[in-house]
């Protein structure tokens, strides 16, 4: 980092520091965004396009960096460059800065590479003093206007540049107070009712406020005003607000901001003047309508400040027809030129339109797909460009049920929002509060929507989570069990709501004084993380309805804009991507959802989730708790048909698509009951003394279960478990093949392998089971046996493992845990701090740590394919749904990524973008 910074500072010394724009000419253009900032680059571009832009100049971002490094000194030659550019502006505008007869007034605006709300506010009307105000009054023919501009300038400059703010304990700045006092004195309501003399008096008052607050007179010299403002913009790069914003958005500190100095135009010169902001298309829906607001006789931020209610943009046609026509022409021209939706700012001065800003407009996910696909149809952009325009993560918005917008806004005003947690599973959910998975299932079976509220969730809660509309936890991060499972299920989830009190004894939850009981209504917004007291109406997304709705509803949804645009983008993405996409799914209904969302196979089917299903858990527990091989075999025999039925359901849904099934992975202790009642009950059904069972349960507890007796270690110590699982898989596959005529493609995956010998043992059992079943069923099916790569040792010995494995699948959740030596379940305590302190760039469980974990993956890919040409390799960790991680997998040349069903659209688009960027 240091090396690049020095280089750019060096460049600043010799390079041009000031870029002029005006009268159809500009030194810069839109390609110089890094140097001129977004605003400066686009002002230059608009000038080149011949649009009416008031003349001005941009001081480069490199000056900011150099100024910073030199502790607030400007690079040599800057003053001369600024004064040269200023004379050019004066010539172009036929006015002089500081001239008493015909003064040029300036605005000073910040403008970084990307727009940054944390930056300095704009200073308008700069260059006014007791002499120039007279000239302005004469030229404009309005004394009142001139003094109003002057009093606005003193107020803005004092606030933004001199830092004169409200006194401690006071709400309003001293200037607003003085203004209010003046209005009271004159017995008027509006600022506009004050006379020129009133305003003159106010200017004097404002200046005395400045003298009192700063100990210095207000700067009268225009030159001093200008350099004060320039220094303030550069200084604002390092304010707390700006730094916080940069941290939140991963913006490097050495980018710097540019300063734009330009001629003022006045929207407040009377009823034929005005100012406005607009989008060339609707930023919420993407519809191709000119969308925006304006105010007549107003300046600057009046439109967004909310003091007066602005008018919808199309009313400009009646108020200022000439400017309206010109604006329509320009908005079209800008879209044609930039070939993207633009966000524009304009001002009308005495009937003449001026452009003050344009940039690519921010938009919702809905608008993003609509605009991208519409622009392809309008032949403005190619399909490839359209795919690159849509942020993959923004597709999430299209898939989520929604709250009524007005109703939700009301909850924020009236205090119904109880707290805000992590937005772990996006969407809107509303239902009755339950505290146990059993109650969730029970109430849901009666048709009641429920919200499952837990301190945190565990695998035992799966059925309850499935039954719930939404899940709320007080503890756990973005990759906690609740978050992970919720995303796989496509459930709304707010996790880690730290303020939340959850009491399992009295069945209450609450924040502060608000206490809710079981059965009370609660609403969760998984997109914002808001927890809302009470019931809010929701509806499924258009995409969901199009895919899964009843016939009539689906048909209607498929005729809707969202579905049309979404499915078009998905189709194009599938044509562009190289990576295949699979899903992580454990149940037939998840498979169905996933296939509808484009899954080309299953990348991870976790058999243990099935174990919690109807009637199975008891057999599983007996299997685990049996003392002898004979007992265990008896329990497994009971389990076999149940597992087989699960697999049949999955194979039926998946047809001839590959299905990767992982053999039993978690530590056995996770399947056992822990409270006394449950143990007693199980003991009764097994016909053993409760005490004996309790001892057995205790003896299975491990101090480090995640590194303990799990994964292939279970299959090695209890080969009969692998045997029975493999038999269930192959019998199910044969049965489905016979019934449907379609040949399933099972891929048996052995977890937590660290050495080729471990895999060899489990592969032998699996192959033997397959042969035995095929012989018995008198048929053969294609199948593979492979392994997860989720331990560093597996990656490092991948060459040897590949001799045994027919495929690899990176289990990047465990691989991240074991590479870093960080337990995911405990990481919440320190990873946020690591990220804050920039010790880690981000949570490695959310986005792949390419330098460490990624390095191991590289080794495994190279050595694995070296030992077995064409080895099929995929990824099935949570990272499979993260666009940055998908990009890494694309470049590693993996065959597929696998993610939860509702992340599939994101994965398909991200994979397409990776291929297109190559
Ligand atoms: P932001 O980046 O916060 O949008 P801007 O630099 O765009 O800040 O300035 C805010 C507002 O100030 C603009 O929307 C415009 O109304 C007004 N403004 C800026 N420059 C000028 C100018 N040269 N003449 C008239 N108004 C201006
Ligand atoms: Mg702006
Ligand atoms: Mg694992």
């Amino acid at each position: 980092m240091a090396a690049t910074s020095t280089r750019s500072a060096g460049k600043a010394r010799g390079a041009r520091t000031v870029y002029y724009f005006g009268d159809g000419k500009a030194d810069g253009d839109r390609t110089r965004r890094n140097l001129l900032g977004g605003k400066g680059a686009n002002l230059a571009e608009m000038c080149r396009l011949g649009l009416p832009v008031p003349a001005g100049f941009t001081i480069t971002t490199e000056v900011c960096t150099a100024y910073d490094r030199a502790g607030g000194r400007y690079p040599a030659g800057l003053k001369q460059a600024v004064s040269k550019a200023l004379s050019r502006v004066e010539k172009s505008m036929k006015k002089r800065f500081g001239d008493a007869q015909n003064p040029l007034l300036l605005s000073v605006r910040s403008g970084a590479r990307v727009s940054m709300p944390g930056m300095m506010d704009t200073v308008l009307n700069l260059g006014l003093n007791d002499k120039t105000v007279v000239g302005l009054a004469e030229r404009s023919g309005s004394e009142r206007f001139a003094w109003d501009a002057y009093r606005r300038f003193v107020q803005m400059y004092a606030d933004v540049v001199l830092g004169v703010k409200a006194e401690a304990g006071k709400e309003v700045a001293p200037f607003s107070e003085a203004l209010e006092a003046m209005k009271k004195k004159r017995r008027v309501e509006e600022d506009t009712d004050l006379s020129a003399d009133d305003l003159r008096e106010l200017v004097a008052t404002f200046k005395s406020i400045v003298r009192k607050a700063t100990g210095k007179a207000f700067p009268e010299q225009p030159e001093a005003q200008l350099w004060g403002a320039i220094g303030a913009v550069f200084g604002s790069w390092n304010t707390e607000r700006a730094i916080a914003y940069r941290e939140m958005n991963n913006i490097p500190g050495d980018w710097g901001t540019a300063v734009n100095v330009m001629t003022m135009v006045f929207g407040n010169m009377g009823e034929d003047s005005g100012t406005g902001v607009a989008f060339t298309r609707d930023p919420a829906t993407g519809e191709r309508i000119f969308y925006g607001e304006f105010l007549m006789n107003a300046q600057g931020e009046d439109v967004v400040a909310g003091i007066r209610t602005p008018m919808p943009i199309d009313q400009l046609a009646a108020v200022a027809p000439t400017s309206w026509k010109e604006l329509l022409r320009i908005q079209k021209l800008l879209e044609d030129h930039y070939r993207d939706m633009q966000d524009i700012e304009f001002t009308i001065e005495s009937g003449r339109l001026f452009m003050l800003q344009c940039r690519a407009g921010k938009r919702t996910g809905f608008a993003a797909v609509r605009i991208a696909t519409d622009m392809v149809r309008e032949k403005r952009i190619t399909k490839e460009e359209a795919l690159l325009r849509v942020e993959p993560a923004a597709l999430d918005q299209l898939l989520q049920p929604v709250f009524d917008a007005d109703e939700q806004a009301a909850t924020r005003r009236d205090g119904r929002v109880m707290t805000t947690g992590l937005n772990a599973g996006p969407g809107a959910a509303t239902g009755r509060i339950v505290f146990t998975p059993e109650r969730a299932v029970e109430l849901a079976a009666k048709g009641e929507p429920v919200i499952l509220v837990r301190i945190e969730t565990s695998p035992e809660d799966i059925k309850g989570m499935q039954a719930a509309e939404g899940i709320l936890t007080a503890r756990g991060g973005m990759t906690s069990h609740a978050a992970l499972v919720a995303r796989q299920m496509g459930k709304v989830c707010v996790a880690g709501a730290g303020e939340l009190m959850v009491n399992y004894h009295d069945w209450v939850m609450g924040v502060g004084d608000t206490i809710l009981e079981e059965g009370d209504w609660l609403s969760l917004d998984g997109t914002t993380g808001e927890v809302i007291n009470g019931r809010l109406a929701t509806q499924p997304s258009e995409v969901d309805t199009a895919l899964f709705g009843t016939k009539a509803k689906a048909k209607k949804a498929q005729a809707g804009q969202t579905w049309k645009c979404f499915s078009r983008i998905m189709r194009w993405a599938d044509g562009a991507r190289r990576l295949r996409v699979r899903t992580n799914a454990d149940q037939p209904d998840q498979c169905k959802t996933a296939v509808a969302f484009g899954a080309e196979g299953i990348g991870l089917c976790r058999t243990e989730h099935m174990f919690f299903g109807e009637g199975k858990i008891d057999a599983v527990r007996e299997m685990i708790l049996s003392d002898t091989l004979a007992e265990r075999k008896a329990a497994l025999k009971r389990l076999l048909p149940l597992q087989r039925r699960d697999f049949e359901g999955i194979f039926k849904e998946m047809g001839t698509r590959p299905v990767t099934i992982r053999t039993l992975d978690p530590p056995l202790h996770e399947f056992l009951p822990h409270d006394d009642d449950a143990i007693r009950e199980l003991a009764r059904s097994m016909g053993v003394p409760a005490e004996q069972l309790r001892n057995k349960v205790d003896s299975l507890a491990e101090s480090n279960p995640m590194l303990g007796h799990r994964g292939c270690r279970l299959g090695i110590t209890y080969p009969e478990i692998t045997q029975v699982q493999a038999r269930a898989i192959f019998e199910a596959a044969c049965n489905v093949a016979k019934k449907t005529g379609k040949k399933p493609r099972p891929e048996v995956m052995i977890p937590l392998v660290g050495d080729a010998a471990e895999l060899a043992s489990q592969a032998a059992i699996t192959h033997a089971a397959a042969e035995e079943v095929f012989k018995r069923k008198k048929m053969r099916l294609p199948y593979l046996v492979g392994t997860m790569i989720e331990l560093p040792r597996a990656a490092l010995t991948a060459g040897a493992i590949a001799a045994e494995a027919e495929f690899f699948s990176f289990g990047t959740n465990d691989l991240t845990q074991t590479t870093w030596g960080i337990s995911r379940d405990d990481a919440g305590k320190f990873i946020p701090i690591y990220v804050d302190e920039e010790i880690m760039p981000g949570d490695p469980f959310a986005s792949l740590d390419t330098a460490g974990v990624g390095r191991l993956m590289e080794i495994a890919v190279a050595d694995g394919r070296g030992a077995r040409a064409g080895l099929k390799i995929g990824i099935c960790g949570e990272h499979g749904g993260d666009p940055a991680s998908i990009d890494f997998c694309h470049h590693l040349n993996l065959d597929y990524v696998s993610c939860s069903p509702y992340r599939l659209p994101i994965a398909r688009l991200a994979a397409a973008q990776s291929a297109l960027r190559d």
Side-chain angles (χ1 to χ4, degrees), residues 39 109 345 357:
K39 206 177 279 166
R109 321 166 70 185
E345 293 177 3
Q357 188 171 333

Side-chain angles (χ1 to χ4, degrees), residues 582 658 660 730 745-750 753 756 759-760 762-764 766-768 770-771 774 780-789 798-809 864-865 867-874 895-896:
R582 295 195 187 184
T660 305
F730 293 113
R745 285 168 53 198
E747 300 181 344
V748 180
M749 179 158 76
I750 310 299
V753 162
L759 178 59
Q762 297 301 290
T766 311
H767 287 303
E771 286 310 317
F774 291 157
R780 297 197 69 83
L781 289 173
Y783 74 96
L784 301 176
V785 180
T787 184
M788 279 181 100
I789 302 289
I801 291 176
E804 306 290 338
E806 292 170 299
F807 67 88
F808 282 176
S809 176
R865 291 216 172 115
R868 187 190 283 259
L871 178 71
K872 181 151 73 169
I873 307 181
D895 294 287
Y896 68 86

Side-chain angles (χ1 to χ4, degrees), residues 531-546:
V531 179
I532 303 153
N533 183 0
R535 179 180 198 174
L536 255 63
T538 67
Q539 53 200 64
S541 70
E542 189 173 306
V543 171
D544 251 66
T545 311

Side-chain angles (χ1 to χ4, degrees), residues 428-500:
T430 197
R432 291 185 189 277
I433 296 170
V434 292
F435 295 96
T436 67
E438 292 76 26
R439 286 291 287 160
V441 172
E442 207 178 303
L443 279 186
K446 289 186 192 146
E448 286 279 8
V450 297
I451 302 286
L452 178 62
V453 180
R454 303 285 291 167
I455 295 171
E456 56 195 339
T457 63
S458 74
E460 287 179 77
D461 298 341
I462 296 261
K463 293 204 77 185
M465 295 172 78
Q466 181 83 58
E469 300 296 314
I471 298 137
L472 170 62
T473 66
R475 280 213 293 263
M478 291 296 271
T479 53
S480 61
H481 179 266
L484 197 126
V485 175
R487 277 197 292 274
Q488 173 161 343
M489 292 178 172
K491 293 277 174 192
V492 174
C493 176
V494 173
E499 286 182 324
L500 189 72

